[in-house]
């Protein structure tokens, strides 16, 4: 074990916890709104470990959507992990399969971004730095999700905390919009999803995501 690299990963992840903690609390509260027990919420959090996908799935569960639509939405939201994996995989190819599987499970936006930046700027041990970042985020996410569930069960239903989920999505979306292709994709996706709000099984959400991706690609291609 490279304790220096591990410790550096933990330290570099620490500032990110200011955003992870409230996000995890919201995920816990959303689990309560969707009718999940503490055990079910933690099971979802441990098994999926993807904040945006969890919130999307919980929102659809609360609305009584079809299981297939819930799974498809969660997968669509998390497709970016495939691109992350392709980019970071060369740094881990020398490790055993069991290690690569564990590191793949722990992959998040933050762990990916911090690790690639560290790999390019220093000769830090790839595995242990990534592990330090990723495990820190994982532990805090699980703890705050559990705390959110416990807090949510004590909040009167009349408070209607369901609004927290769309607010978090807006907070995630707005900073990610960079340039004309992203803006066009966001606008079209929002328009289609709004028009399809009443469609069965929440198909409107998937249609909006698909339309946004297509428009974004078309606009990007036209600017080259």
């Amino acid at each position: 074990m490279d304790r220096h690299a591990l410790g550096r990963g933990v330290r570099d992840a620490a500032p990110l916890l200011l955003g992870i903690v409230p996000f995890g609390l919201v995920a816990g509260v959303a689990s309560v709104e969707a009718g999940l027990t503490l055990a079910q919420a933690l099971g979802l959090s441990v098994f999926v470990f993807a904040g945006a996908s969890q919130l999307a799935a919980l929102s659809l569960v609360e609305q009584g959507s079809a299981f297939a639509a819930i799974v498809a939405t969660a997968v669509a939201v998390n497709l970016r992990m495939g691109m992350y994996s392709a980019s970071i995989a060369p740094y881990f190819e020398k490790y055993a399969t069991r290690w690569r599987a564990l590191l793949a499970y722990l992959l998040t936006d933050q762990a990916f971004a911090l690790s690639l930046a560290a790999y390019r700027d220093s000769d830090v041990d790839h595995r242990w730095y990534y592990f330090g970042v990723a495990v820190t985020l994982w532990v805090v996410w699980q703890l705050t999700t559990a705390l959110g569930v416990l807090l949510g069960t004590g909040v009167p239903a009349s408070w209607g905390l369901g609004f927290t989920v769309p607010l978090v999505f807006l907070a995630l979306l707005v900073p990610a919009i960079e340039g004309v292709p992203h803006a066009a994709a966001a606008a079209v996706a929002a328009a289609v999803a709004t028009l399809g709000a009443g469609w069965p099984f929440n198909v409107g959400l998937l249609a909006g995501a698909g339309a946004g991706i297509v428009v974004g690609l078309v606009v990007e291609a036209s600017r080259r």
Side-chain angles (χ1 to χ4, degrees), residues 7-16 114 118 129 133:
R8 179 180 168 186
V10 173
R11 290 192 300 273
D12 287 354
L16 300 179
L114 282 180
Y129 177 84
V133 172

Side-chain angles (χ1 to χ4, degrees), residues 66-87:
F67 178 74
I70 295 172
V71 173
T73 299
V75 171
V77 171
N78 232 33
L79 282 176
R80 68 192 184 283
M81 294 301 164
M83 295 183 290
Y84 293 170
S85 297
S87 297

Side-chain angles (χ1 to χ4, degrees), residues 117-129:
Y119 298 164
R120 291 167 181 164
D121 297 337
S122 67
D123 59 354
V124 66
D125 183 278
H126 297 160
R127 173 175 53 180
W128 289 109
Y129 177 84

Side-chain angles (χ1 to χ4, degrees), residues 93-179:
E93 59 186 8
K94 66 180 180 180
Y95 300 120
T97 301
R98 64 179 182 276
W99 265 108
R100 296 201 304 271
L102 175 60
L103 299 177
Y105 163 70
L106 293 170
L107 182 62
T108 60
D109 300 275
Q110 298 89 345
F112 170 78
L114 282 180
S115 296
L116 279 194
Y119 298 164
R120 291 167 181 164
D121 297 337
S122 67
D123 59 354
V124 66
D125 183 278
H126 297 160
R127 173 175 53 180
W128 289 109
Y129 177 84
Y130 176 93
F131 196 71
V133 172
V135 169
T136 300
L137 299 176
W138 186 90
V139 170
V140 173
W141 177 259
Q142 307 307 332
L143 291 176
T144 53
T145 298
L147 181 58
V149 173
L150 296 175
L151 292 175
T153 55
V155 175
S158 59
W159 286 22
L161 293 181
F163 72 91
T164 55
V165 174
L167 284 181
V168 168
F169 273 120
L170 285 175
L172 293 172
L173 173 64
V174 173
I177 298 177
E178 299 177 354

Side-chain angles (χ1 to χ4, degrees), residues 178-221:
E178 299 177 354
V180 176
H182 285 186
V188 171
V192 173
T194 300
L195 290 173
W199 295 353
F201 308 115
N202 285 291
V203 174
L205 182 61
L206 291 176
I213 291 172
V214 171
V215 169
L217 291 174
V218 170
V219 174
E220 178 68 26

